Amino acid sequence: MKGIVVEGGERLVGEVMVSGAKNAALPALAAALLVEGTCRFTNVPRLRDVETFRGLLEKLGARLHWRGKGELEVDTSSIEGVTAPYELVKTMRASILILGPLLARMGEAVVSLPGGCAIGARPVDLHLKGLEQLGAHIELEHGYIKARARRLKGARICLDIPTVTGTENLMMAAVTAHGTTVIENAACEPEVEELALILKEMGAEIDGAGTNVLTIRGVKELRPARYSIMPDRIEAGTLMVAAAVTGGNILIKGCRLEHMEAVLGKLRETGMEISPLGEGEVRVVGDHVPRSADVKTLPYPGFPTDMQAQFMVLMTLANGLSVISETIFENRCMHVSELKRMGADIRVQGSTAIVNGVPRLGGAPVMATDLRASASLVLAGLAAEGETVVSRTYHLERGYEDLEGKLAALGAKVRKVDLNEDLGQQE
Ligand code: UD1
């Protein structure tokens, strides 16, 4: 079992570059299914989830090759398969993103139902309802979604909840449908806007990218595109909290700060100095004793649920009481019990955490339960006195490109270990 050992107490100083966004790269790869030919994506992060998606596309007959750092070539000239098997989907829910484009391309798609995951039930009913409105015939059989449609037809779809991957799936299904589709109450996350821009590069006709109403006029076919994936706003936010909890002073390069207003606002409320320097660079300087600030996770442009666990770590060290409400996912407070083992004072009531800041955290063995919880435990380790051993960090590798390497370059004492060998523990 892989893990990360952090010796806390080092102040982070230096420069760091943000990687490409996982949640933009995965839909980009899915969109490649809509064209016959070779798409080239640059600034693609090298992550476990990207590799899983690559495996999925290869299973369908696509050929994917890394060409130099961050450049991924996706050749979808010959797609034969229509099935995303349970073994792959269960490791990565975002596999559901192939449903829309595969159905549009092949007239058929068979995708395993994602099932429950560590952060709650996470249903896909809105993806399916929307596809049915586009004329797909959908059956659920033996744990699989079986979708069929000769050619999808444009429709007016009003989403009950602005689901991110749901909006993306429906947008990809609609771009080659017959007629016009309007998606109301669409997700406005920057990654959804990015997918619209990629599809437009491919020849799609989409109005309203980045807003909650998307109008998509179906075209007969799309062409291959080249596209550079946007920087990861969640990684940038995680690095900012790393500076905050260590009283650090770091220069973060390659950010799109316009995507981070809610997070920047909250970090400033805690006393952090954030100075944009132009050209995607920002200097962040942490305050040794942050002020408390309440947070409620919301769809974009609200505070992202993917930053909730990291922000909570900062609040465990704040001067006063803060209330953190999770409104997007159930069961997304699993990092709380681990943070408490490090000395944090947190009470959870339903989906709200009440955090009473303490002067310091103490290193402890802790276990990661999901991607963002893993990041939060590493952050807590950076701030804590003594050694923190975070186990099950394979979650971290799903979504962060070399986070431990980046933190180490900023002066953190952090290293990857094989816990069975190095620490004599059993999986
Ligand atoms: C995406 C992101 C994830 C982020 C989340 C919220 C990717 C690959 N993942 O996940 O990192 O945490 O957005 O910003 O981009 N819902 C339904 N029915 C559906 C679909 C969703 O009820 O058919 C609910 C979910 O249970 C949840 C809410 O809608 O409560 C939002 O989920 P959604 O936006 O779909 O999250 P994902 O797209 O899975």
Side-chain angles (χ1 to χ4, degrees):
M1 180 171 64
K2 297 271 186 264
I4 289 181
V5 176
V6 190
E7 289 284 343
E10 300 298 323
R11 186 168 175 259
L12 299 194
V13 179
E15 293 182 11
V16 62
M17 183 80 186
V18 175
S19 296
K22 166 178 91 72
N23 287 354
L26 300 178
L29 297 180
L33 281 171
L34 289 163
V35 304
E36 276 182 43
T38 302
C39 294
R40 279 190 183 75
F41 299 111
T42 51
N43 204 33
V44 180
R46 216 98 190 212
L47 306 169
R48 189 186 292 245
D49 274 8
V50 169
E51 288 302 329
T52 306
F53 215 92
R54 176 183 172 193
L56 190 55
L57 293 181
E58 284 176 344
K59 214 168 169 48
L60 301 173
R63 284 182 297 246
L64 284 84
H65 298 286
W66 287 100
R67 303 269 182 230
K69 190 174 175 338
E71 183 168 346
L72 188 55
E73 197 177 86
V74 188
D75 177 1
T76 47
S77 323
S78 59
I79 295 295
E80 290 137 19
V82 292
T83 304
Y86 175 67
E87 293 67 44
L88 286 174
V89 178
K90 76 169 184 207
T91 63
M92 188 184 63
R93 251 193 118 262
S95 312
I96 192 73
L97 281 168
I98 69 158
L99 181 60
L102 196 59
L103 177 63
R105 164 112 181 228
M106 305 295 280
E108 190 183 357
V110 181
V111 178
S112 170
L113 275 165
C117 73
I119 58 172
R122 297 183 82 172
V124 290
D125 54 317
L126 302 175
H127 300 231
L128 305 188
K129 197 170 141 198
L131 289 175
E132 280 179 333
Q133 286 176 277
L134 293 173
H137 177 74
I138 293 187
E139 283 173 331
L140 299 182
E141 243 176 48
H142 307 298
Y144 278 79
I145 303 160
K146 296 190 169 172
R148 269 195 312 274
R150 214 173 271 154
R151 187 169 177 207
L152 295 164
K153 291 187 200 70
R156 196 173 195 95
I157 300 168
C158 183
L159 293 171
D160 295 347
I161 299 173
T163 155
V164 172
T165 48
T167 304
E168 291 168 344
N169 238 334
L170 296 174
M171 191 170 26
M172 289 189 280
V175 284
T176 54
H178 183 74
T180 299
T181 297
V182 178
I183 306 177
E184 288 172 353
N185 199 25
C188 305
E189 269 67 4
E191 295 78 12
V192 181
E193 180 181 11
E194 175 100 332
L195 175 64
L197 299 179
I198 294 172
L199 292 168
K200 283 169 90 162
E201 258 325 284
M202 291 173 168
E205 293 185 14
I206 303 174
D207 289 336
T211 75
N212 62 2
V213 181
L214 296 167
T215 304
I216 304 152
R217 283 174 300 282
V219 295
K220 274 237 167 72
E221 59 178 12
L222 299 178
R223 54 179 184 269
R226 275 176 171 269
Y227 204 91
S228 176
I229 303 296
M230 64 193 274
D232 196 314
R233 62 193 168 104
I234 305 300
E235 187 200 348
T238 303
L239 290 166
M240 287 178 185
V241 176
V245 293
T246 62
N249 179 339
I250 66 176
L251 179 71
I252 307 181
K253 294 178 158 181
C255 292
R256 296 269 299 272
L257 293 179
E258 70 273 25
H259 295 159
M260 300 182 63
E261 286 302 331
V263 171
L264 298 182
K266 281 295 158 188
L267 289 175
R268 286 191 171 118
E269 213 176 307
T270 71
M272 191 168 199
E273 277 174 44
I274 301 175
S275 319
L277 303 173
E279 308 217 346
E281 294 190 359
V282 58
R283 178 158 298 281
V284 290
V285 182
D287 193 329
H288 280 276
V289 185
R291 287 194 293 272
S292 59
D294 296 342
V295 154
K296 187 185 230 179
T297 63
L298 287 170
Y300 189 83
F303 192 93
T305 174
D306 287 350
M307 275 299 297
Q308 180 256 105
Q310 301 90 313
F311 191 80
M312 192 184 295
V313 173
L314 183 58
M315 290 302 93
T316 64
L317 294 162
N319 197 350
L321 204 71
S322 55
V323 179
I324 300 184
S325 314
E326 172 59 55
T327 75
I328 307 291
F329 292 118
E330 48 186 278
N331 299 350
R332 212 174 195 183
C333 284
M334 285 176 307
H335 41 285
V336 168
S337 51
E338 300 303 292
L339 292 174
K340 282 167 87 166
R341 302 186 62 246
M342 298 178 72
D345 179 356
I346 309 173
R347 261 181 312 131
V348 176
Q349 284 176 351
S351 53
T352 299
I354 298 149
V355 187
N356 193 10
V358 292
R360 66 193 65 82
L361 298 175
V366 288
M367 193 188 286
T369 45
D370 69 47
L371 170 54
R372 306 304 168 186
S374 318
S376 75
L377 297 177
V378 173
L379 294 176
L382 293 176
E385 275 176 5
E387 184 180 272
T388 297
V389 181
V390 188
S391 58
R392 303 210 172 158
T393 45
Y394 51 83
H395 291 293
L396 197 70
E397 291 161 15
R398 286 191 39 216
Y400 286 92
E401 189 176 51
D402 191 24
L403 184 66
E404 59 288 343
K406 290 182 183 186
L407 294 172
L410 293 169
K413 287 198 178 140
V414 39
R415 65 193 159 92
K416 250 187 186 164
V417 290
D418 187 320
L419 291 177
N420 298 330
E421 285 169 18
D422 295 14
L423 297 168
Q425 292 180 354
Q426 300 280 312
E427 168 78 270

